[in-house]
Amino acid sequence: MGTNNGWRMAGMEVPLLSTDSIEWHQLSVPSSSSLTSTANASSHPICRDFAASCAIGDAPSYFIWKTSKTQSNLLDIVELRSHKEFSRIGLRLIFPDALFPFAFICKDETKFSSRNHLLLYTLTVSGVAYLIRLRNNFDYGTSSLVPTDEFLEYSTQGEPHSGAVTAVAAAAGCLLIGRSDGSVGCFQLGRVDPSTSGFVYELRDDAGFGRLWGILSRSPMVAAVQDLVISEVQQRKLLFVLHSDGTFRVWDLLSRAKIFGHAMTVPSLTGAFARLWVGEANDENDIIPVAMLHKQNLEVSTETVFLYGLHCNMGDRTPFSLERSFKKISLGEDGLIDVKLTSNKVWILKEEGLIMQDLFSDEVTEGPSYCYALQENFVADLLFQSSEHSSDDLLWLAYSAFSSAKEEIAPFVSSVFLRALLFPGIHSTAVLRQTLGDHNKYFTDSEFGSFTVDGLKSEILSLIEHQGGSASPVSILQCWKSFCGHYVNNWCEYNAACGLLMDPLTGAIGLVRNNSISLCRGLKDVEHIIYGSLEEQNKHISPELGFSRDERDQMILFELLQCVRNVSQQLGKASSAIFYESLLSTPHISSEELVSRFLRILETGYSSSTAAILISELGADIAWEKELSNHRNLRKFSTNMFLSLQSLCQKANSWSKVLDVVESYIQFFVPKKIVLKSGAQAFFPLSGSAVVQSTSQIAKVMFESVLDVLMLLRYMISISGQINFTHDDVSRVKLDLIPMIQEVVTEWHIIRFFGTTSSESPAIEDFSHQLSSLQIDSNVDKRFWNVKLGKCDFSLAFILLLSMQSSSVELGNFSVGRLPNPNSLISSSQEFISWMTSGRSGEESSVFSNSIDLALILLKHHQYKATEYLLTLVDEYLHKEKTFESLQSVDGKMSALLHILGCCLVAQTQHGSHGPVKEKKVGEALRRFFRAASVEGSSKALQSLPQEAGWLRIDFSSSLSAAAWKVEYYQWVMQLFEQYNLSEAACQFALAALEQVDVALETIDSSSSENLGETVITMKGRLWANVFKFTLDINKYNDAYCAIISNPDEESKNICLRRFIIVLYERGAVKILCDGQLPLIGLVQKVERELAWKAERSDISTKPNAFKLLYAFEMHRHNWRKAASYIYLYSVRLRTEAAVKDHQMRSSTLQERLNGLAAAINALQLVNPSYAWIEASVDETSIDRENYPNKKARTTKQEQSPPDDDLPQKLPSYIDVEKLEKEFVLTSAEYLLSLANIKWTFTGNETPSSNLIDLLVESNSCDMAFTVILKFWKGSCLKRELERVFISMALKCCPSKLAPSLHGKGRKMHGLLLTSSQDELVHDSFDAAAFAQQYAGNSHWETLELYLDKYRQFHPRLPLIVAGTLLSADSQIELPLWLVRHFKGDRNESRFGMTGTESNAASLFRLYVDHGRYTEAVNLLIEYTESFSALRPADVIRRKRPFAAWFPYTSVERLWCLLEESIKSGHRIDQCGKLKKLLHGVLVNHLNLLKVDSDDVRSSVS
């Protein structure tokens, strides 16, 4: 690791920014058709990838531009602002032809336009030169073309004999072109009008009149121009020209004269010089460094860079002289990309890396070269693509680490790769999307842009698991190897290096890639020791760290590092990745256990069980070969380590000396404490990005290196017997060195965690919060970082850096407004690390003591997961260390840590945590808050937390007792949990505060204390009210009731009781009050009063109904009369509601009212009849006047009850069961009428009108009609109402009454009715209508029969009334047989002829006669006479009853007369004659029978 081909490690590439997020504004550059080339842009041989940059301004803006070989007609320009945020808008110019690999941007000094401040010079391969004036901020609006007045186009191929363009250079006001014929032409673009004669001139050797001969006077010996460079030396612009034959010339552009010329030759090499670079003059020796690229024309092309010194003395006759000595840097077969020269350094970027060399070192020819590790190596190394077996080592180590949980291996391996893919600087949106596309997973721009970090992880995992198939660790690993292999290849292609970026004033150096920009950093002191040779190690060993410069100590350290490297190589790079992932993932295995398993691998190799598992997955041959290789490596490692450790001990003479060196070496890894400046200007965002990336790289190296030292010490302990490690040495390692290393490992792990963990996206909150977070008056940089929260490339370290900037702290090594050089960048990273570990003061401390300040910063930006992880890690570590007790007692830092951790856990419950995860976090928060309150000195520590963090602000005297402090603290925590709707946890702290109130009172004489700020009763009442509220929120009603009865404050108790009832009512859980579950001792009347108040002011349509609850409440307590009273009030309210509602709602309301009345009746029936009544206020209609719930506040009794003199004197009324039954009957009638859509309203009168009976009969509610009659009428009134009802019912049975419209026009109308068919018209549907009427009539007959049988006993004349009504309505109607039977009676039981009740056969006979039904009358008379004559002789006595008792003489006589009149009038003569003859015969026979019976009686008497 120390050297590589003679190159020493000097630094690393640090990603600065990616251009993925840039929105390109594309502008086409118009051109005349005569100047446009038709050549293929990408096929021109001179086209190549090219990038350059410049800095403009005092606080400069860096402009970077590049072209690519594949799209050589495009020029991309990006502006990096030193004092502002990075612009997300880039300019992409589209030219009509391929561009020469050249462009130049400078400031526009002519002030051509107020909107433009830059000039762009460029040239196409066809020789067309362009001068474009660029607008500020690339503000071109919606335009897609460069305005014609903002660019100048000129063809440099004006002369036919002009050679091809081979080189281009530019300065402000001129464009210089070198050609294949050796000429150099100058075009004064932007300075002289192209139409004037002085616009173009050439630089030539001859002077005077020879210039007039033009081309003919040109020297034929000049070779083609290879390269041109313009440089300003002592305020003079000079042109450096390199020709293909090695001729090197310098021209003064002002005088247009050649001031230097020399033929450059390399005798030992064949080939030619190809490119030229010129640096700035060194102020000490006035030497201008010059670099030339030499290419050898061999079978395998090799390149060499030669470095020359050009001595400058502009005042002499010969202003330049070439130094004889030179240096060369052999590049081998690697292709050169770019070279940058400063006054004392040369930077060379080639395809394989970046190297740097000092120009003025002691070496004469090839001095020492320093290499900088590029991102390609870092990406491949992090994704296990640097070697063939690195990913296999990951699998073997994972199997050994998770030997007891095989199912966790595949997810763990996936987690390692996912974390590496999303590592800042490694992650690239475009590369990841392309790699997913390579695996047939495609997304649109909007879909891919909407992915969060978790969304990306999910998509990648789903792809790997789908391709893995069996989901075995081996198959998963193979999928990851394939995926990461594609990713690395795509990354290298997508981010190929194009050129170097340099700021000569600061010495900053960086790379311009296709789609990213980066800087280079130097190495930390300990990194030089890790990567360097023995010479480098000695150079960077500092006596300040207690390390001696003694040669023996340095040799011991060198040998020790060799042992560390052996351990690291034996475990492989995957060991640190596994260890780091185990610290971040769910702790299935502790770090100590993981170290023990790694140690077992160093001792005995991989276990046989691991090999057996891999045989089944990899195959026997591969697994066996791998196992043999592991055994060989183990034997080799064991032997080398034994010999190395023995040699180390011998050189040190004792292990104690070795351990002294180890302890001194560990001190190199402890972060330095640096006091930061304050009050200075803050650094700018781009440098901040470099600091974060540099810090991440340093933390990774430190973490892995310290871990290697830990493994070495553990290995030395395990083989202590073999290497003569004494017991004292082992104890020192265990008790001193290992705890020190563990602390350092944890510190670097936290720093690395900050640098590599992506920030959380801000949660979506209410509008007011979003409005306040706009930060309109905040600085621009802060808004820029807030926008990037949640992005993969925006880690937690950026947030900490933002806080560092906002505190007006400058990273001291930054030049204001400029990019930092490698040493400044590493120094700034060290300062940032010091700030994270020690704060601004730089006092001796660790990241553990500064974790509170870091946590507050993270919480301020809603980084809850990161804060929880940080504080949990610190908390767990402090439990293991002896420093725990000291930290607990000093300034209460432990209480602040626990408090902030609790707040973080609470906040996380509202951001994606659900179910068991949420419950776990709440439980952990509870424990943290209780622990925080129990720490000594917590009061002072918690009050010292910054107010802007949003935490504890309690104002009270510092002389409070511990119990009084806890009362206040627990109340604050209670409010915090309440804010996040965590009622159960809030209840815990309310109860805890109540306990502390009692404890605090033990030190107070009275029941009131000024320290507590309120009376004890008031405080307890408030806390019990909170307990009540929280238990009520989580539906623990029994606990809520217990809180009510425990409340000593009566006012608070009443409020809670009222709230309790309201909540139970709203949640439908009020049954708990009515079923006796709660012991309402002493609260029955209050509960009843609250329920009554609720019922009075509630809408009766709400459910559950308050009146019903009152009814159930009183019924359960056997208060029958009260129950009846409340339910009756409910029915009264319903009566008022029913009057104003529509039909459908009215019916349901009436039904509900019936239920209420029935409940009242049932309740009163349980009471002694002497007391079966309820009191009804005469003003009961006052409730009726409130048709809507009253939302006004409840008033006191004094407000509700005016003086007695002001009230009208009214006597109360009483309602008994009978009145309730009558109301029930009338309400039932109203309900039935409502169902028939007939409106009738109960007026409250005890006796209804006859109109109600008529409506009931009309609606066919006959049962209800009879019920009303029987309930409200007696005696003759009852008979009268019954007659009215049966008359109405009889009339319904008459056909003429059923369908009066069946005649005349009605018949025609029925004929037009449609049937069920829509296509067929029925012209005569009278039969159908008649059938419907007949069916209705039959129903009426059945109803009449039913009710006549039922109610005849109440009024015997009802059959007579019905028959008379029928015959009156239709004299020809056929009386139904059942009706006739009512008149005839039971013939078997009564044989006394036509006698009987009021409705007898004689009555029916009279009806027949009265209504002209002579035939029926005669037949009825015949029937009864024949029945009488058919009596047996045994009935002779009974037969002798006087005939007048059953025979209606008057009616028979009237019938005889009516028949005679009808015959005389000629009406139905024949029929009447026959009837008269029959009547005569009946009378004769009957009289003869009477005569015989009389004779028989006389005979029997004698």
Side-chain angles (χ1 to χ4, degrees), residues 1305-1334:
K1305 295 181 180 179
R1307 178 180 177 87
K1308 182 177 182 181
M1309 179 190 67
H1310 285 289
L1312 297 177
L1313 294 177
L1314 294 177
T1315 63
S1316 59
S1317 174
Q1318 298 181 0
D1319 303 323
E1320 181 179 354
L1321 181 64
V1322 179
H1323 297 283
D1324 190 4
S1325 59
F1326 175 78
D1327 294 339
F1331 175 79
Q1333 296 293 340
Q1334 181 181 357

Side-chain angles (χ1 to χ4, degrees), residues 1 525-534 536-538 541 547 553-569 641 644-645 648 658 661-662 665-666 668-669 705 708-709 712:
M1 298 178 67
D525 292 342
V526 69
E527 290 182 293
H528 283 289
I529 297 175
I530 295 171
Y531 295 128
S533 61
L534 178 61
E536 290 292 322
Q537 294 168 2
N538 296 336
I541 290 177
F547 199 91
D553 289 352
Q554 295 176 5
M555 184 60 66
I556 292 173
L557 178 60
F558 182 78
E559 294 289 339
L560 178 68
L561 291 179
Q562 291 295 335
C563 295
V564 172
R565 293 190 185 100
N566 290 337
V567 172
S568 177
Q569 292 174 1
M641 286 299 298
S644 298
L645 291 174
L648 180 62
V658 174
V661 174
V662 171
Y665 178 61
I666 295 173
F668 281 99
F669 295 95
S705 301
D708 292 339
V709 176
L712 174 63

